[in-house]
Amino acid sequence: MAGLDGIDQPRGHSRAAAARWSPAVEDEQGLRALELFGNPAEAEVPLPSRPESAATARRLAQIVILRHWGLSPKLTEDAVLLVSELVGNAVRHTGARVFGLRMRRRRGWVRVEVRDPSRGLPCLMPVQATDISGRGLFLVDKLADRWGVDLLPRGKTTWFEVRVSDR
């Protein structure tokens, strides 16, 4: 998963870790991230270009999509995964100090944007079953309804959109 390279996974204590996880803890961390960094649904949120920012971006996306917009857990799960992939690419490949996260909702759609100062374009690569990396844009391509890149005078915005059924 994007943003987790080089981080050791816990071994042998999975039951203890699972027992500590709860939606309330996730909400608390998401609300704390919202308080510290701002709401990406209101304005672009600048985040430091470090691997741990992927977790912050996931928390922000989750709290906005699930709690503020009241959308489905499945849509939230997919969008959070895609946010993680775009952020991971921005952190890994752009050399930026900071990237921006922005989320928008309009009738029938959710759009998530990650802006960085690099004009280098992401590349969708063919994926083989045995590949251990390089699946980020493949996942974005498969799970998002639309995605793309907008070149800016100083950098680019990589975005994806997913359909939502408005009630």
Side-chain angles (χ1 to χ4, degrees):
M1 185 180 285
L4 296 180
D5 290 347
I7 296 176
D8 290 334
Q9 298 300 310
R11 294 182 195 352
H13 302 294
S14 60
R15 272 184 261 143
R20 287 191 302 263
W21 183 90
S22 74
V25 170
E26 285 296 307
D27 276 354
E28 182 181 316
Q29 291 174 337
L31 290 169
R32 193 172 325 129
L34 207 61
E35 189 176 296
L36 286 172
F37 295 98
N39 187 336
E42 294 173 358
E44 182 178 282
V45 172
L47 293 169
S49 189
R50 296 191 306 246
E52 55 270 21
S53 289
T56 302
R58 287 191 298 269
R59 287 183 183 116
L60 290 169
Q62 180 175 344
I63 204 77
V64 168
I65 295 168
L66 189 61
R67 302 295 178 219
H68 290 190
W69 292 342
L71 299 175
S72 75
K74 172 64 173 136
L75 181 122
T76 302
E77 181 181 340
D78 288 351
V80 165
L81 173 63
L82 300 183
V83 164
S84 192
E85 295 302 337
L86 293 189
V87 167
N89 285 347
V91 169
R92 255 190 230 106
H93 301 299
T94 67
R97 288 182 164 174
V98 175
F99 65 89
L101 175 68
R102 179 83 165 114
M103 301 173 65
R104 302 170 194 261
R105 181 166 183 213
R106 66 180 198 275
R107 186 179 180 114
W109 294 93
V110 166
R111 180 181 175 107
V112 176
E113 303 172 343
V114 174
R115 186 183 55 79
D116 65 69
S118 169
R119 288 181 53 86
L121 296 174
C123 185
L124 178 60
M125 303 294 288
V127 176
Q128 304 299 318
T130 56
D131 291 346
I132 58 172
S133 67
R135 295 177 182 267
L137 283 180
F138 174 80
L139 289 172
V140 173
D141 190 58
K142 293 300 176 196
L143 294 176
D145 291 293
R146 299 190 290 225
W147 73 275
V149 180
D150 297 331
L151 284 176
L152 306 170
R154 292 191 176 154
K156 69 179 174 298
T157 299
T158 307
W159 54 269
F160 69 85
E161 294 180 336
V162 290
R163 280 194 179 102
V164 297
S165 54
D166 292 317
R167 295 178 188 157

